[in-house]
Amino acid sequence: MHTQTQTLQKAFRCAFPHTIPIFAGFWFLGMTYGIYMNVSGFSCWYPMIMSLTIFAGSMEFVAVNLLLGAFNPLQALVMTLMINARHLFYGISMLDKYRGTGWKKLYLIYGMCDESFSINYTAEIPKDVDRGWFMFFVTLLNQLYWFTGSALGGIFGSLLHFNTEGLEFVMTAMFVVIFLEQWRKEKRHASAFAGLGLSLLCLLAFGSANFILPAMLAILAVLTALRGRLERGEEPV
């Protein structure tokens, strides 16, 4: 029992610092979401329950309009699949990392968001820290940050009045930092250049509203084709 407690404490202490940047972003965006729900006519219970059950920031914002509009479950299903299609690629990338995590795997799959994926995929976990519990605490902490931010926004939304325009850029800046950190760790940057180049091409071809899914498909195809060379440390031709 004492050994298990030490394992949990060590994994938590290791995971928590990685989630601090997420805390700042999630609290701002979560409170914005809670306020948005409040001014749209929903009680504070709605953002709280939706943050626990949906836990998909973009979809939660879209869900506000779905709840206010006519009942159309097919439209809601298609929109959800389109908005969160990137999670299919996240899941494929995490197959090996989630293997052997036991019952925690169910929550890791359910709670995987962009930020948890970024941390769990790129973090260099010390050998004396349990990998499964590290990823579990990263995922749990990130959901708690979003939940508490949404709850506070829903509760105090009617009392606060401020302009939230541009607040969503917090998350963009955070992903830039994660990308730069990964760039610094890698000796070769072929995968980074491939991701940037293919994303730019898809942006020009499909526009800002529709480029994400084609870009991910292209990146997946190219990196799969170059996987052997990249793993051997060779430069792609």
Side-chain angles (χ1 to χ4, degrees):
M1 188 69 177
H2 182 63
T3 303
Q4 178 68 6
T5 301
Q6 288 180 326
T7 300
L8 296 177
Q9 290 176 345
K10 185 177 292 186
F12 180 85
R13 288 195 298 267
C14 185
F16 176 68
H18 290 273
T19 67
I20 292 177
I22 315 299
F23 168 73
F26 270 21
W27 253 46
F28 275 112
L29 285 181
M31 284 191 286
T32 302
Y33 167 64
I35 294 170
Y36 179 47
M37 287 287 287
N38 182 274
V39 299
S40 298
F42 295 95
S43 71
C44 63
W45 295 108
Y46 277 83
M48 294 170 67
I49 294 173
M50 291 169 68
S51 296
L52 287 175
T53 56
I54 300 176
F55 188 41
S58 302
M59 192 59 221
E60 287 181 49
F61 277 96
V62 173
V64 178
N65 292 324
L66 293 177
L67 290 172
L68 293 173
F71 179 67
N72 190 334
L74 181 60
Q75 178 192 18
L77 174 63
V78 173
M79 188 173 296
T80 302
L81 288 175
M82 290 299 296
I83 292 175
N84 293 307
R86 64 191 185 280
H87 288 258
L88 296 172
F89 303 99
Y90 294 168
I92 293 172
S93 301
M94 297 301 289
L95 285 175
D96 288 335
K97 291 184 178 290
Y98 284 173
R99 185 173 288 115
T101 54
W103 62 266
K104 295 183 288 294
K105 183 177 182 179
L106 295 175
Y107 178 68
L108 291 172
I109 293 172
Y110 164 75
M112 183 172 60
C113 60
D114 298 345
E115 295 74 20
S116 296
F117 166 76
S118 298
I119 295 174
N120 288 333
Y121 188 80
T122 61
E124 296 180 357
I125 306 173
K127 293 182 179 179
D128 61 339
V129 173
D130 185 277
R131 178 175 53 88
W133 280 114
F134 173 89
M135 294 189 293
F136 176 87
F137 283 124
V138 166
T139 306
L140 178 63
L141 286 168
N142 286 341
Q143 185 171 12
L144 286 175
Y145 299 153
W146 179 259
F147 169 76
T148 53
S150 300
L152 289 174
I155 293 171
F156 299 109
S158 60
L159 306 176
L160 301 176
H161 302 282
F162 61 93
N163 185 5
T164 60
E165 184 179 356
L167 201 60
E168 67 276 3
F169 186 74
V170 172
M171 305 311 291
T172 302
M174 184 193 67
F175 276 112
V176 171
V177 172
I178 292 174
F179 174 80
L180 292 176
E181 180 66 16
Q182 188 65 16
W183 176 283
R184 187 181 64 82
K185 291 179 180 179
E186 291 182 341
K187 294 181 180 179
R188 302 176 186 274
H189 307 295
S191 58
F193 284 125
L196 291 173
L198 292 169
S199 297
L200 179 59
L201 288 175
C202 290
L203 177 62
L204 295 174
F206 299 99
S208 60
N210 303 305
F211 84 100
I212 293 180
L213 188 57
M216 287 187 168
L217 287 170
I219 292 170
L220 177 64
V222 169
L223 293 183
T224 300
L226 299 176
R227 180 179 177 181
R229 288 180 174 273
L230 293 174
E231 288 180 346
R232 292 193 299 270
E234 300 176 8
E235 291 292 342
V237 178

